[in-house]
Amino acid sequence: MATIYVILLETVAAASKYPNLFPKGENHIASQTSCDLLKAAHIPFSVVEAVNTEQLEKRIIYPLQSFLYSTPERGAIDEICAKIFASEEEGKLPYAVFLGRNLNLQPGAFILDRPGGKRNYQWILSYTREKQKSMEETFPKFLHLVSDVNTKFVISFGSGGLRLFAQPSMMKFINGIKAKRYLSEIWGCSGGAISALCFSMGVEPEMIEQRGYDIYNERFQFKLAPSAFVVAKNTLLSALMPTPPNVLKGFISAQETMQRALTSLIGDQKLEIPFYCVAYNVKRRRNEILTPLPVTEKSYGDLIISTSPVDAVVASSSLPIVYVPKAIERGDQKETYIDGATAEPVPLLSIYRKWLIDRKHGIEKRKLVILAIDPLASPGKQGWFMRHIVNKLPFAELARFGLGVFNLIMRARINNQIEMIKEDKNVKVLMVSLPLSTSTLLDIKKIPIIIQDAQTVLLEQMLKIEESL
């Protein structure tokens, strides 16, 4: 708890320069931070009363959707307490409803952060309090399904490059409903492999979103896309010195960047929940399952490969054409991998195949429930990759058409895999589609939009699943 202050300014006009001073009669309500700013600016004032914020904080309401957003930091809480205290009408204090951290201001809402802060914490004041349902009360059927002792609950994060920053919203949902303790495995592919590894190691979803904001604000250097010069040079070299069709070179190596980003997020944390990702083995022409866990070859043959967690994620995220493939040593030879989305945009079949093998060997007797997250892009949007890379390639129109067809194939592949798996009565697939307003894979300037879109639509998607159960 903190303290706010009722202050009397010697010069009332000084308040116009400080929007976090809230008028109340002849006085103003100020947080400790605001008082410190006044002192630093040599603006004279006197403290009329000190008010403990304990009771005021009880009037802050966090609606159901607020779990998707970053909790307001201490400084912002002090300011909203000052606002509540200053807004008393006829002896009645209002409630402050937290609407999240959002770029688009909702009707009737206002932005309030600590003085000088740049976080768009949205609030609305209300003099009546409506009963808020808990997560458990809102999603009883979902919670009952995944908590069943006869159910193996698995979560699968799909591909999509930087659209991985849509996926922390799902992590927040799982944490908010206290369902993470029921997870048996966490899977991912491409960008979703990054999400999966972080979630399996206990990285807070807010940290992943914050890293997205750090990349957006260029506080963390994260080179994802080749320059126009590199595209032109490699295209020319490929024309002059063609390579066999089964050799994938890529424009740039993002491996060091990826490794640095992952290491900074996971640190020295260990796996809390088994982690798996899928990557496409170029030589063997198939998807394989990579994991940092020890693997019993007797059970899985060469379907599941044990490797370092960072190598697994980098292999799964090596976007064809753009990135240099990832080579992983296996015995006395190297296997070359590219993006697992080539064959499996959202891990489904691989999860199902492993589950079947486990049942065959008596390792698993439970039914299987897969919660799959697919960060879709809205149709008709032209992302950064299309504008700045594909458009510079020869036959750009043909390439553009080809990518559109590729996206349709990916959607059809996901649907076909779901339909096939659903034929097994012991398996249930819950598909969450997060339609995003941008189709970008690599444009860091779209990261805030990706995060915001997911926060806007996730709850609606989960409510639909709840109704279907």
Side-chain angles (χ1 to χ4, degrees):
M1 303 303 167
T3 303
I4 58 174
Y5 302 92
V6 182
I7 65 172
L8 178 63
L9 291 166
E10 291 189 12
T11 306
V12 178
S16 61
K17 298 180 180 180
Y18 297 89
N20 284 48
L21 297 179
F22 306 106
K24 187 172 186 179
E26 296 180 352
N27 302 315
H28 285 81
I29 312 302
S31 66
Q32 182 64 60
T33 303
S34 292
C35 289
D36 292 341
L37 289 173
L38 292 175
K39 291 177 183 177
H42 304 291
I43 297 176
F45 68 93
S46 58
V47 175
V48 177
E49 181 184 359
V51 180
N52 187 284
T53 62
E54 180 176 0
Q55 295 303 315
L56 294 169
E57 289 187 38
K58 292 180 179 179
R59 304 190 76 81
I60 301 176
I61 298 174
Y62 297 93
L64 183 63
Q65 178 120 1
S66 67
F67 75 87
L68 292 171
Y69 302 96
S70 301
T71 304
E73 62 177 8
R74 180 70 251 177
I77 294 296
D78 294 345
E79 300 306 321
I80 196 62
C81 285
K83 178 74 171 178
I84 292 171
F85 191 72
S87 302
E88 182 178 7
E89 291 184 2
E90 299 179 355
K92 186 176 182 180
L93 292 171
Y95 294 96
V97 183
F98 178 56
L99 301 181
R101 181 181 171 183
N102 206 308
L103 297 175
N104 297 324
L105 193 63
Q106 298 186 37
F110 58 91
I111 301 293
L112 189 59
D113 190 11
R114 61 177 174 77
K118 297 180 180 179
R119 293 176 173 85
N120 290 335
Y121 294 126
Q122 287 195 37
W123 310 84
I124 192 168
L125 296 183
S126 173
Y127 289 88
T128 59
R129 177 168 185 170
E130 297 181 3
K131 185 180 182 300
Q132 297 293 324
K133 281 187 176 182
S134 67
M135 291 282 284
E136 292 86 347
E137 292 172 325
T138 307
F139 298 96
K141 290 186 286 186
F142 175 83
L143 195 57
H144 176 74
L145 175 66
V146 301
S147 63
D148 188 340
V149 294
N150 295 314
T151 294
K152 178 180 181 179
F153 176 37
V154 176
I155 190 168
S156 174
F157 293 102
S159 59
L162 285 176
R163 296 201 288 271
L164 74 93
F165 290 109
Q167 294 167 342
S169 289
M170 176 54 75
M171 301 177 199
K172 292 178 184 178
F173 175 83
I174 295 296
N175 289 341
I177 203 171
K178 299 179 178 63
K180 191 173 183 181
R181 54 186 164 168
Y182 304 120
L183 274 169
S184 295
E185 295 170 357
I186 300 176
W187 289 65
C189 176
S190 192
I194 299 174
S195 301
L197 179 62
C198 290
F199 199 36
S200 68
M201 286 189 163
V203 177
E204 294 297 327
E206 290 82 4
M207 287 185 61
I208 302 172
E209 287 182 342
Q210 185 56 54
R211 178 45 48 86
Y213 288 120
D214 289 342
I215 295 170
Y216 168 74
N217 290 303
E218 299 182 354
R219 291 191 292 263
F220 185 90
Q221 296 303 313
F222 199 70
K223 185 178 181 181
L224 283 175
S227 65
F229 172 76
V230 170
V231 173
K233 182 188 74 171
N234 284 19
T235 302
L236 179 61
L237 289 176
S238 295
L240 296 176
M241 295 177 290
T243 54
N246 62 328
V247 176
L248 300 173
K249 296 198 308 183
F251 286 114
I252 63 172
S253 174
Q255 295 175 15
E256 290 185 6
T257 299
M258 290 283 295
Q259 290 171 353
R260 184 163 53 90
L262 280 170
T263 302
S264 69
L265 272 174
I266 63 179
D268 57 356
Q269 298 185 79
K270 306 299 182 184
L271 282 181
E272 296 179 356
I273 300 172
F275 158 75
Y276 300 88
C277 67
V278 294
Y280 186 80
N281 188 314
V282 177
K283 180 180 179 180
R284 299 172 188 261
R285 299 180 183 179
R286 67 177 189 185
N287 259 15
E288 293 178 351
I289 301 168
L290 306 180
T291 179
L293 299 170
V295 178
T296 305
E297 291 188 8
K298 182 179 179 181
S299 299
Y300 303 109
D302 57 359
L303 173 65
I304 304 181
I305 310 301
S306 182
T307 186
S308 77
V310 174
D311 280 352
V313 169
V314 171
S316 182
S317 306
S318 296
L319 187 66
I321 302 175
V322 180
Y323 296 147
V324 174
K326 173 65 176 175
I328 297 179
E329 293 186 3
R330 284 171 58 181
D332 58 353
Q333 56 183 315
K334 290 184 177 181
E335 300 286 345
T336 302
Y337 293 93
I338 58 173
D339 197 324
T342 305
E344 202 170 352
V346 181
L348 293 170
L349 282 181
S350 293
I351 298 174
Y352 182 57
R353 291 173 68 187
K354 179 182 179 297
W355 176 78
L356 287 176
I357 294 172
D358 290 344
R359 284 173 70 88
K360 178 181 178 181
H361 290 87
I363 300 172
E364 185 61 73
K365 296 181 180 179
R366 297 171 294 176
K367 295 182 178 181
L368 177 63
V369 171
I370 305 173
L371 177 63
I373 298 91
D374 180 20
L376 293 167
S378 298
K381 301 286 184 177
Q382 190 182 78
W384 185 94
F385 179 75
M386 179 66 76
R387 294 195 311 271
H388 295 278
I389 300 300
V390 174
N391 287 351
K392 291 177 171 56
L393 296 173
F395 311 109
E397 285 296 329
L398 183 60
R400 183 181 297 107
F401 175 76
L403 278 180
V405 172
F406 178 78
N407 287 332
L408 291 176
I409 293 173
M410 291 297 101
R411 301 275 74 78
R413 184 168 292 169
I414 293 171
N415 293 335
N416 289 340
Q417 291 175 0
I418 291 174
E419 291 302 316
M420 186 186 76
I421 294 173
K422 283 170 61 177
E423 292 181 3
D424 191 327
K425 296 181 179 179
N426 291 313
V427 181
K428 182 181 288 290
V429 178
L430 308 176
M431 177 61 74
V432 178
S433 297
L434 300 179
L436 308 178
S437 59
T438 174
S439 63
T440 184
L441 292 175
L442 305 175
D443 186 0
I444 64 174
K445 293 304 179 183
K446 302 297 184 182
I447 291 176
I449 298 174
I450 291 170
I451 295 173
Q452 179 183 316
D453 284 351
Q455 292 170 341
T456 301
V457 302
L458 177 70
L459 189 60
E460 177 185 343
Q461 292 282 317
M462 292 310 302
L463 287 170
K464 287 181 179 178
I465 286 179
E466 176 69 17
E467 293 174 1
S468 70
L469 294 176

